[in-house]
Amino acid sequence: MQIDQLYQEIILDHYKHPHGRGLREPFLGEAHHVNPTCGDEVTIRVATDGASFSDISYDGMGCSISQASASVLHELLTGRATGEAFRVVDGFVELMGGRGQVTPDEDLLGDGVAFAGVARYPARVKCALLPWMAFKDAAARAGVDPAAPSSAPSPSAPSSSPSLSTAEAQEAPEVKA
Amino acid sequence: MTTIAIPQGMPQYDGVPRFDVEKVRADFPILGREVNGYPMVYLDSGNTSQKPRQVIDAMREHLERHNGNVARSVHQVGTEATEAYEGARAKVAQFISASTPHEVVFTKNATEAINVVAYAFSNAAPGSRFALKPGDEIVISEMEHHSNIVPWQLLCERTGAKLRWFSVTDAGRLDLAPLEELVNERTKLVSYALVSNVLGTINPVSAITARAHEVGAFVMLDASQAVPHMPVDVTGLGVDFIAFTGHKMCGPTGIGVLWGRHELLAEMPPVLGGGSMIETVSMERSTFAPPPARFEAGTPPITEAVGLGAAVDYLTSLDMRAVQWHEKELTAYALDALATVPGLRLFGPNTPVGRGGTLSFALDGVHPHDVGQILDSVGVEVRVGHHCARPICQRYGVPAMTRASFYLYTTVEEVDALVRGLEQVRKVFD
Ligand SMILES: Cc1ncc(COP(=O)(O)O)c(C=O)c1O
């Protein structure tokens, strides 16, 4: 049954037992995003020294997809070097925009691969993306630049190269559902 | 003196006309389709209704045989198109017991119908009885669709008038206790839903209208969820304006109706300018056609009007009292059935009295989005979200709701499928 692809165990697990939920101090940037069509909400805070994200805390209200997505984001990005974190964001956004045609990179996306099935449900893509878009905003408000993430080296390469020094900020593709 | 023997049962309902729902269903081609491998159970008619073959055929026939522009052609097909368009207007007028077809203005939808009134009011010359100024008040309710909130918020912003509203009780009824205070000498307009698209509540009219007219205020009803489901008699209601939308009453999208009392429409300034709404035009100025043409600038949705006319014929052939009764029985059944679902909280009246077949609810611990998605996976189509009525969701402290809404083709078996689907939802999220 197709619905199982949407509601993977991993997603339900993150929904029922969210990781790192709750807004924490200190933080440098915060963003609150709302999905106006359904009322899902998420607030993301990032704590960063500019080189990595030492904490990503969040709170929200909404469906299993949006809330599990926030939990996965927290798990994947907390502690990461900023450039690397943005590569993960790009990978996730690409997966969500792929209408189910993109093969997810498990090394890059970890539990995020569970959302591959969501990409087949256009109405739910924006639920999955909600925390990720809020994260990008929060990071921008913390003064962290998503430095040319798509030209960055693969995740297995040393994470020293992409950094704040690169001036050209590159926007991740907008995905609309 | 004669004695009257009162028979057993509920004899007062013996005379209610009924129809065979399976026969009705056979008129709706889409009801035969499947969704995700299950027979489709369409419980989203409050959002948009399905269309019977009669409507689809009428629109196709119009396009194939009678297409021309209206009111501006001397040729044969133009004449036929004009007759079809005006014929649809006459059908709609009769359907809602308007005193003349000239009281029926075709719009794009209910939203536009409400906006026409809001903009006509703000276009009114200062001092006219439609003009608003700082200190004036407009009264709506907490259970309105955004289309009956935002146009008035905008009108208030344009004019400096103040927006006020009836609140809603825990049981899902308008709180009329402050009626006298809320509707007062400063009130210029009271606009509210005859039937709520979220709670299903049928709101009272006579007390509010009497008070409004006593203080010289106009009354507008958003009848979008009423006209499709029950007999509506605008003359009997005694209000000034009503709005409704074709696609919720077996008609196509792209056509809605503003009904207004003729003497009011005749005095109101136009909103959109253009072809068909004028009397005479010179380079300096124009004068305007009488209603309804005054409010129908440009080429109207002709085929859609023909479709709406066919929808009205269809509903009339079933008898709106039968439609209403069918939905009342279904609602009674569904209220009982949903009460058996553990963790389900119903928003709105929990008895089938003074309410229609629109049931919104929350399922403990499961977000409506997830409810809707899993129901869809077994073919049950419901609406989830804030239903374009965010304030009423806030009123009940929830960001969103799940809504099942019935229509003349809905069956008790479909209500059962909903209840089974909700079992499925609970299993996934247990
Ligand atoms: C009560 C109510 N008012 C207004 C509307 C708006 O209808 P439309 O979108 O066709 O203008 C709707 C339907 O969504 C409704 O349920």
Side-chain angles (χ1 to χ4, degrees):
Chain A
M1 197 165 78
Q2 255 205 331
I3 197 79
D4 291 341
Q5 294 183 342
L6 180 64
Y7 291 110
Q8 295 257 349
E9 265 324 301
I10 298 177
I11 293 181
L12 291 174
D13 211 54
H14 274 279
Y15 176 56
K16 290 173 193 165
H17 312 287
H19 302 204
R21 190 184 175 93
L23 294 172
R24 287 179 290 277
E25 313 256 352
F27 66 96
L28 213 56
E30 180 183 278
H32 174 74
H33 276 210
V34 177
N35 181 344
T37 57
C38 64
D40 281 9
E41 295 184 28
V42 67
T43 305
I44 301 254
R45 284 180 178 179
V46 303
T48 176
D49 57 3
S52 70
F53 294 107
S54 54
D55 189 22
I56 298 171
S57 65
Y58 66 96
D59 204 356
M61 200 168 57
C63 66
S64 61
I65 306 293
S66 68
Q67 303 306 303
S69 185
S71 170
V72 167
L73 178 148
H74 161 85
E75 184 140 288
L76 278 174
L77 302 189
T78 305
R80 287 231 191 206
T82 53
E84 214 182 285
F86 286 119
R87 270 207 319 285
V88 178
V89 173
D90 281 358
F92 190 82
V93 171
E94 190 199 349
L95 179 63
M96 287 300 102
R99 304 207 152 252
Q101 305 304 308
V102 174
T103 314
D105 176 349
E106 189 157 2
D107 291 336
L108 182 71
L109 295 180
D111 278 1
V113 299
F115 288 82
V118 177
R120 294 224 187 97
Y121 293 83
R124 303 306 293 281
V125 166
K126 55 184 187 290
C127 308
L129 284 177
L130 185 68
W132 298 77
M133 295 301 138
F135 167 76
K136 283 177 62 171
D137 258 11
R141 281 175 198 166
V144 185
D145 232 343
S150 58
S151 59
S154 77
S156 49
S159 59
S160 55
S161 36
S163 78
L164 295 167
S165 55
T166 322
E168 28 160 354
Q170 194 175 311
E171 271 296 305
E174 261 288 300
V175 176
K176 292 226 168 74
Chain B
M1 201 176 101
T2 48
T3 13
I4 301 166
I6 298 172
Q8 298 287 306
M10 300 204 288
Q12 68 269 41
Y13 298 128
D14 281 355
V16 175
R18 287 155 203 265
F19 53 69
D20 175 354
V21 67
E22 288 308 327
K23 260 209 210 120
V24 169
R25 288 179 72 81
D27 290 332
F28 291 78
I30 202 171
L31 296 180
R33 72 161 279 178
E34 295 192 340
V35 167
N36 293 320
Y38 290 80
M40 179 172 76
V41 172
Y42 187 76
L43 300 181
D44 198 18
S45 294
N47 205 352
T48 196
S49 73
Q50 298 302 348
K51 323 299 173 202
R53 200 182 307 278
Q54 289 83 340
V55 168
I56 301 167
D57 288 349
M59 293 174 75
R60 187 193 310 106
E61 150 127 357
H62 179 81
L63 287 169
E64 287 178 355
R65 313 238 352 123
H66 310 291
N67 182 54
N69 209 333
V70 296
R72 46 180 92 164
S73 316
V74 293
H75 54 63
Q76 184 60 33
V77 286
T79 308
E80 287 175 18
T82 304
E83 276 167 10
Y85 183 67
E86 294 305 327
R89 193 192 308 281
K91 287 175 186 181
V92 170
Q94 190 174 22
F95 189 62
I96 58 171
S97 305
S99 55
T100 138
H102 296 143
E103 294 186 328
V104 171
V105 177
F106 282 133
T107 61
K108 182 172 68 178
N109 48 34
T111 303
E112 188 179 274
I114 295 168
N115 275 280
V116 164
V117 174
Y119 277 95
F121 277 34
S122 54
N123 289 347
S128 111
R129 60 169 158 162
F130 304 111
L132 283 97
K133 56 183 187 315
D136 289 345
E137 294 175 358
I138 293 175
V139 178
I140 60 173
S141 93
E142 210 178 8
M143 65 165 86
E144 297 310 309
H145 189 281
H146 294 165
S147 355
N148 199 28
I149 300 176
V150 184
W152 307 123
Q153 288 175 339
L154 294 172
L155 177 60
C156 285
E157 273 173 34
R158 290 195 298 273
T159 60
K162 183 173 165 199
L163 190 67
R164 304 185 66 190
W165 51 87
F166 289 104
S167 56
V168 172
T169 66
D170 289 343
R173 307 279 179 192
L174 287 185
D175 180 7
L176 292 187
L179 174 62
E180 303 266 308
E181 192 280 317
L182 207 48
V183 179
N184 58 52
E185 295 65 34
R186 297 183 298 277
T187 310
K188 279 286 150 67
L189 173 82
V190 181
S191 184
Y192 64 100
L194 183 48
V195 177
S196 159
N197 68 313
V198 175
L199 307 175
T201 315
I202 301 173
N203 288 316
V205 176
S206 60
I208 297 176
T209 304
R211 174 62 184 163
H213 286 166
E214 183 190 0
V215 299
F218 298 113
V219 178
M220 174 157 203
L221 294 178
D222 175 357
S224 304
Q225 299 287 350
V227 171
H229 301 283
M230 60 183 67
V232 169
D233 169 347
V234 290
T235 312
L237 285 171
V239 298
D240 301 298
F241 305 99
I242 79 167
F244 55 102
T245 196
H247 67 95
K248 294 186 203 285
M249 51 188 288
C250 297
T253 55
I255 182 106
V257 173
L258 168 65
W259 170 85
R261 283 201 289 122
H262 193 262
E263 48 125 352
L264 298 179
L265 292 178
E267 234 184 273
M268 279 156 58
V271 173
L272 293 179
S276 300
M277 51 76 73
I278 48 88
E279 191 176 54
T280 158
V281 176
S282 68
M283 286 318 287
E284 291 76 26
R285 67 180 72 256
S286 304
T287 56
F288 307 112
R294 182 184 305 165
F295 302 100
E296 295 180 359
T299 298
I302 303 164
T303 313
E304 288 74 11
V306 169
L308 180 57
V312 161
D313 283 344
Y314 184 77
L315 293 170
T316 304
S317 75
L318 290 180
D319 193 329
M320 284 310 291
R321 289 171 306 162
V323 172
Q324 185 179 28
W325 184 256
H326 174 74
E327 290 179 32
K328 193 178 178 71
E329 285 186 324
L330 265 177
T331 304
Y333 183 86
L335 286 169
D336 286 346
L338 288 181
T340 68
V341 177
L344 186 140
R345 172 186 174 204
L346 182 85
F347 302 101
N350 60 7
T351 54
V353 176
R355 65 129 52 242
T358 292
L359 283 72
S360 292
F361 55 88
L363 204 56
D364 214 13
V366 191
H367 191 276
H369 252 170
D370 296 319
V371 175
Q373 193 85 57
I374 292 174
L375 289 177
D376 177 63
S377 76
V378 294
V380 178
E381 316 289 276
V382 295
R383 171 120 187 237
V384 297
H386 54 45
H387 311 289
C388 299
R390 209 169 154 269
I392 194 64
C393 292
Q394 283 184 314
R395 159 68 180 81
Y396 288 102
V398 293
M401 298 176 182
T402 303
R403 177 185 77 180
S405 53
F406 309 149
Y407 205 11
L408 41 83
Y409 39 65
T410 311
T411 65
V412 289
E413 290 75 20
E414 290 183 309
V415 175
D416 293 342
L418 169 66
V419 172
R420 277 198 308 275
L422 291 172
E423 254 335 285
Q424 189 77 18
V425 174
R426 293 177 46 79
K427 261 189 219 136
V428 174
F429 281 89
D430 222 7

